[in-house]
Amino acid sequence: MVKLNILICGIGGQGVVTTGKILAEAFSRRGFKVMEAETHGLAQRGGAVNVHVRIGDIEVPLIPEGGADYMIALEATELLRNINFLSKDAVIFVNAETKPSALPGQPMVDLNYILSFLKKWRTFVVDCRKISQSSGGYCNIAMLAYLFQFGLKELLDIEDILSAIPGTVNKRLFIETVSASQNYVVSGPAGI
Amino acid sequence: MIIMIELRSTLLLGNQAIALAALASGVSVAAGYPGTPSTEIIETLMEYKDIYVEWSTNEKVAFETAYGAAISGARAMACMKHVGVNVASDSLVSSSYTGVDGALVIVSAGDPGMWSSQNEQDNRYYGLMALIPILEPYDPQSAHDFTVKAFEISSRVGHPVILNTTTRVSHVRAPVKTLPRSSPVKGSLRKRPDRYSLVPDVARRDRDLQLERWEKIKEELESLVVVSGSGRKAIVASGISYPYVKEVLEDWRLQDEVKLIGVFSPVPLPDKVGRELMDVEEVLVVEELEPIVENQLKSFVVDEGLHIRVQGKKLTGRSGEMTLNRVRLAISKFMGLNSEVLERHLQPNVPPRPPAMCPGCPHRSSFVFMKRGVILGGMKETFYSGDIGCYSLGVLPPFNVQDSLISMGSSIGIANGVYRSTGTIPVAVIGDSTFFHAGLSSLANAVYNNTPLLVVVLDNRSTAMTGQQPSPSENMDIARVAAGLGVEYVSVADPFSTDFSKAVANAISWVKVNKKPALLIAKRACALKAVEGFSERPLAFVNEDKCTGCTICYDHFTCPAIMRKANKKAHIDPRECIGCGACVPICPFNAILLKGEKPEGWDRAWLS
């Protein structure tokens, strides 16, 4: 690995910053050079938020357009807002659930419209509603588990991520999601 | 003097690194006002109980607190966002005349790209104007190291030093090797009016001493220039632009074909930078925002009679934060490369998602009932003079109740001007922390000059936007403060109640008759703070038999927990609802109800 760029996007309050922080801690624990750029303050309140995590031979915190190797989209519309960050070989993990903007009269974006832009990329569509209902944990943790299983496990030990995850419910959700996803056969765009 | 012992590397935010470096430098007094992206410095320092740390009421007081400590020999620090320096600037500029006995470091946290600010001013100009050196870190590690350096220079020269960080330094997390704490350097009572009391005679003498110190400072900064590579072309990069240029040169394997000069003290620009350019023909200056280094370099080139072409802003652009693509583009043009900079832009249709007030935010209810109250008070229209805080989001539809907002505390002063020029009674909307920050003197002015206006103070007991820091309103009763200033009509109302509209209407009627200012306090706690610690909460739900699909709750109240169903009826997402009940009086058909008991202490948490 020379550099690795991971972009996490979503809505303020969904755990975008926490997800980035967990990844930064995991890579840092493994001894990688890591930089993670967060969004705080007014920008954080229920609005569109993204967090950049860069690892390896990097000097600056921001991922260039066309540079993201992985993307976690905690809300599907936000994936589209950040789509130009994707590199041509990027792998995407996206929450199937969309949420309308708090502005009145804004349309809900249909998941199929979003997916129509993603044909070039390997995309994992995650049913977050089901995951949080059945586990009581947060979906960003399940997304991290998929990212680990289908991307980062050559670079990190499961312990590196686990030690950075707060709370026993979330730790359990992470372990269970990783072990369940070992059974998935991945070829082309995949649904989870 | 720093004794190097084995250093540990910890994952830290830039702001945490600055705080730990201040502790390592013996800071004993630190003050600030919350403001993104500076807030976590004071928050981190507050965990240390053997030094004095405070949230001041505004940046000027914070600066003066640190300055007062530093002229007594202490090592002191003041922290604020870039626009906060404007508030502090009256004292800041003159502090450069007196210098200090101890050490004084001012952290100015800028926001290129305006992620959370009203402008992106480049505070390095303060260095040029006030003759205060600027250190410009580029990552959390350098934020730590340059903070230590700032304290060293300040105490050695006896002069204030500004550490100029930005969002992408302060809010970046990276491994940092930190120095261990050293004992706080405190002050002692000393009286030197011949230095510190700036009457004209003292000021003239101090001015000469200031210029002498400025020369010493230039020498101190020579070591902060980093040079690598060589060639007829050179790139001078300042602060965070240095690693951007470095990464692009490494990616393109151009490190050896161009001379790279890193500048970390853009003001004053060390002469060493110019000396490094003696055998160079062309220079590209890369820096965020304004041409501070570029212009000093051009002045050096003219002074020395050199024939060097210096380019900067023309190739890099002047607004927004630095990005790799911007630097790639600038370097390709400068080096005459034919590199393809990515142009593959997909343009999907994405609805805007600006920040929104949280579920349960009392401001949402204040705005809805305030607008009704204005009409009830007999005004067809008014001017909503806005201010800085979470309630700035009232600028967005459906509220549209911030017709201007420009700086902390400006709502009341601007309202005065609007009334004087239009004769329309304005409504000034200001938060409790902002009221104490810079609203007091403008409210005094409204009383003094009899401005007919309604001031609505949104008192949520918190400096909420920056993360629920405490607010002076916890200790001071705004109603008594206003009455003490001479406001004759002061009332308090709960914004969750429909009575709030009547309170607004009554106040407006009074202003119309009396032609004087009135003040209404909308008192309800920040929702994020109020619900802390309650695991069991009530839950709002929609009675679908009663819901007519009138759209009021989701299109005109817009709590993020309320959704529109396909049949136009409302649905409340139990994962988002916090059970505050604000939506209950909004529904004209009584279709929204609360289920579940209020836990013990619930009302007190919201209303005390």
Side-chain angles (χ1 to χ4, degrees):
Chain A
M1 177 190 66
V2 182
K3 328 182 180 202
L4 186 67
N5 294 323
I6 305 172
L7 192 86
I8 302 139
C9 56
I11 304 169
Q14 284 189 313
V16 181
V17 172
T18 310
T19 311
K21 200 176 149 190
I22 291 171
L23 281 173
E25 280 178 11
F27 279 101
S28 175
R29 188 186 139 107
R30 207 40 19 205
F32 288 103
K33 180 174 182 183
V34 58
M35 290 183 109
E36 182 228 345
E38 303 180 354
T39 317
H40 291 221
L42 180 67
Q44 205 181 357
R45 299 254 172 278
V49 171
N50 68 19
V51 165
H52 300 231
V53 186
R54 305 192 75 211
I55 303 117
D57 295 338
I58 48 119
E59 304 288 341
V60 296
L62 294 185
I63 298 171
E65 287 204 343
D69 301 299
Y70 294 101
M71 181 184 285
I72 290 182
L74 296 176
E75 195 276 344
T77 322
E78 292 310 310
L79 189 161
L80 279 195
R81 199 183 312 282
N82 291 282
I83 196 162
N84 287 313
F85 278 107
L86 293 169
S87 69
K88 62 182 198 316
D89 303 318
V91 179
I92 301 165
F93 304 89
V94 56
N95 179 358
E97 220 179 335
T98 58
K99 203 174 176 304
S101 166
L103 285 183
Q106 291 293 339
M108 274 280 266
V109 181
D110 186 70
L111 183 64
N112 289 323
Y113 174 75
I114 297 167
L115 294 179
S116 72
F117 284 89
L118 304 179
K119 291 182 179 127
K120 283 185 284 186
W121 291 284
R122 175 178 285 178
T123 305
F124 295 84
V125 182
V126 181
D127 188 346
C128 274
R129 183 184 289 268
K130 202 168 97 191
I131 287 171
S132 47
Q133 271 167 4
S134 62
S135 73
Y138 289 101
C139 194
N140 58 334
I141 302 296
M143 298 281 230
L144 278 173
Y146 295 124
L147 173 65
F148 175 77
Q149 181 63 26
F150 300 113
L152 305 183
K153 74 175 171 199
E154 315 285 299
L155 302 169
L156 294 175
D157 273 358
I158 191 161
E159 215 20 69
D160 297 326
I161 296 193
L162 266 182
S163 64
I165 293 176
T168 46
V169 174
N170 285 319
K171 281 186 204 292
R172 191 171 348 119
L173 172 61
F174 183 82
I175 294 170
E176 284 170 6
T177 314
V178 168
S179 68
S181 61
Q182 279 162 357
N183 304 326
Y184 292 119
V185 178
V186 179
S187 60
I192 291 176
Chain B
M1 182 181 60
I2 298 161
I3 300 154
M4 300 296 282
I5 59 171
E6 200 190 336
L7 304 175
R8 297 182 300 123
S9 178
T10 329
L11 196 66
L12 293 176
L13 271 185
N15 279 345
Q16 294 169 318
I18 292 168
L20 296 184
L23 291 166
S25 304
V27 71
S28 69
V29 173
Y33 183 81
T36 310
S38 72
T39 311
E40 298 79 5
I41 305 168
I42 291 290
E43 281 186 330
T44 305
L45 289 173
M46 281 205 162
E47 289 160 26
Y48 295 82
K49 302 299 176 198
D50 58 335
I51 59 171
Y52 182 76
V53 186
E54 75 169 32
W55 285 126
S56 306
T57 46
N58 70 25
E59 293 86 356
K60 185 165 184 283
V61 180
F63 173 79
E64 286 153 359
T65 301
Y67 173 76
I71 68 172
S72 309
R75 295 202 169 185
M77 181 157 82
C79 305
M80 56 202 70
K81 68 182 293 169
H82 59 324
V83 285
V85 179
N86 299 337
V87 179
S89 62
D90 198 354
S91 294
L92 174 82
V93 172
S94 296
S95 75
S96 164
Y97 279 53
T98 66
V100 294
D101 272 31
L104 176 58
V105 173
I106 302 102
V107 182
S108 160
D111 191 12
M114 294 168 275
W115 296 103
S116 214
S117 306
Q118 66 269 42
N119 76 26
E120 61 173 6
Q121 66 184 50
D122 191 334
N123 275 7
R124 298 178 303 167
Y125 273 130
Y126 274 111
L128 291 173
M129 179 172 73
L131 301 193
I132 296 177
I134 307 275
L135 300 190
E136 198 179 5
Y138 54 90
D139 66 1
Q141 182 68 59
S142 63
H144 172 275
D145 299 348
F146 292 177
T147 303
V148 172
K149 186 89 186 161
F151 274 99
E152 279 174 16
I153 294 173
S154 181
S155 68
R156 220 161 27 226
V157 185
H159 200 84
V161 176
I162 293 175
L163 185 82
N164 189 62
T165 87
T166 61
T167 303
R168 301 311 184 181
V169 174
S170 283
H171 285 163
V172 163
R173 212 177 282 274
V176 180
K177 289 193 165 83
T178 55
L179 287 167
R181 269 203 80 174
S182 61
S183 3
V185 179
K186 296 188 176 168
S188 58
L189 189 64
R190 45 191 92 177
K191 291 150 85 76
R192 295 272 307 281
D194 57 326
R195 178 177 177 188
Y196 289 116
S197 299
L198 288 181
V199 290
D201 272 351
V202 178
R204 286 183 201 116
R205 209 164 45 236
D206 276 3
R207 170 74 167 143
D208 293 336
L209 295 171
Q210 175 201 37
L211 294 171
E212 276 175 32
R213 286 196 300 273
W214 195 237
E215 291 308 310
K216 270 193 220 157
I217 286 164
K218 282 186 187 163
E219 290 162 26
E220 290 274 346
L221 299 176
E222 291 276 305
S223 65
L224 277 175
V225 178
V226 174
V227 183
S228 60
S230 62
R232 293 278 174 205
K233 292 191 174 202
I235 300 176
V236 175
S238 183
I240 199 163
S241 300
Y242 173 72
Y244 272 105
V245 171
K246 213 171 147 204
E247 183 159 337
V248 171
L249 293 181
E250 280 165 12
D251 283 350
W252 289 352
R253 302 190 198 292
L254 287 175
Q255 304 101 300
D256 300 328
E257 290 174 37
V258 61
K259 187 170 203 171
L260 174 59
I261 303 172
V263 173
F264 309 108
S265 59
V267 178
L269 188 69
D271 285 347
K272 183 176 163 115
V273 177
R275 289 199 304 274
E276 287 291 340
L277 298 175
M278 290 301 179
D279 53 354
V280 163
E281 286 162 3
E282 267 188 274
V283 180
L284 170 66
V285 181
V286 186
E287 59 191 321
E288 269 180 340
L289 303 176
E290 300 301 302
I292 306 282
V293 170
E294 182 183 343
N295 287 350
Q296 290 177 86
L297 201 58
K298 282 176 175 169
S299 143
F300 179 90
V301 166
V302 171
D303 282 353
E304 300 293 318
L306 302 175
H307 294 282
I308 304 175
R309 184 172 188 212
V310 180
Q311 300 184 86
K313 289 294 137 192
K314 221 162 53 180
L315 295 185
T316 62
R318 196 161 178 162
S319 71
E321 60 188 357
M322 204 45 78
T323 64
L324 280 169
N325 283 350
R326 263 174 87 175
V327 174
R328 284 172 186 164
L329 203 65
I331 294 181
S332 326
K333 284 185 190 156
F334 176 66
M335 303 289 285
L337 304 173
N338 209 359
S339 88
E340 273 176 48
V341 173
L342 201 79
E343 289 295 344
R344 179 185 50 87
H345 270 283
L346 291 173
Q347 289 183 316
N349 210 348
V350 191
R353 194 192 303 275
M357 287 176 271
C358 308
C361 178
H363 301 331
R364 178 180 293 108
S365 300
S366 292
F367 291 155
V368 168
F369 290 130
M370 188 168 73
K371 284 166 79 175
R372 288 188 194 170
V374 166
I375 294 164
L376 211 59
M379 294 212 303
K380 263 190 251 141
E381 58 180 359
T382 183
F383 184 89
Y384 292 101
S385 189
D387 225 305
I388 311 263
C390 287
Y391 50 92
S392 298
L393 296 172
V395 71
L396 298 169
F399 310 107
N400 308 311
V401 286
Q402 302 268 293
D403 293 322
S404 69
L405 72 97
I406 181 166
S407 72
M408 290 286 287
S410 62
S411 55
I412 302 172
I414 290 173
N416 188 23
V418 169
Y419 174 75
R420 298 302 170 193
S421 64
T422 65
T424 300
I425 294 174
V427 178
V429 180
I430 185 167
D432 53 311
S433 188
T434 308
F435 176 75
F436 284 107
H437 177 286
L440 292 172
S441 52
S442 48
L443 182 60
N445 182 71
V447 175
Y448 177 43
N449 287 303
N450 283 321
T451 315
L453 92 152
L454 171 61
V455 179
V456 179
V457 183
L458 304 175
D459 181 8
N460 64 0
R461 336 294 293 156
S462 171
T463 310
M465 186 166 76
T466 47
Q468 294 82 48
Q469 286 77 26
S471 156
S473 63
E474 290 176 14
N475 306 335
M476 280 176 276
D477 182 343
I478 292 172
R480 289 180 60 192
V481 170
L485 281 175
V487 181
E488 291 170 28
Y489 186 105
V490 178
S491 69
V492 184
D494 177 4
F496 273 15
S497 158
T498 47
D499 290 342
F500 192 76
S501 296
K502 289 178 206 144
V504 171
N506 291 342
I508 285 177
S509 305
W510 187 90
V511 174
K512 280 184 177 167
V513 173
N514 294 279
K515 303 282 183 219
K516 286 176 181 176
L519 184 136
L520 170 65
I521 300 160
K523 192 171 168 183
R524 207 168 240 275
C526 169
L528 295 178
K529 215 167 175 178
V531 303
E532 255 173 29
F534 289 106
S535 52
E536 293 288 317
R537 299 174 201 152
L539 203 60
F541 68 100
V542 177
N543 178 343
E544 289 220 16
D545 295 336
K546 285 190 171 180
C547 178
T548 64
C550 75
T551 78
I552 284 178
C553 60
Y554 51 77
D555 272 355
H556 300 273
F557 187 62
T558 61
C559 173
I562 307 177
M563 308 288 175
R564 175 201 169 112
K565 290 174 58 167
N567 61 5
K568 279 185 75 182
K569 293 195 180 196
H571 166 72
I572 295 176
D573 185 343
R575 294 173 299 173
E576 298 255 3
C577 177
I578 62 163
C580 68
C583 52
V584 174
I586 293 296
C587 178
F589 304 100
N590 298 320
I592 303 180
L593 301 159
L594 280 178
K595 61 183 168 194
E597 291 295 308
K598 284 184 195 170
E600 168 102 25
W602 180 253
D603 286 335
R604 202 169 50 243
W606 283 96
L607 290 169
S608 68

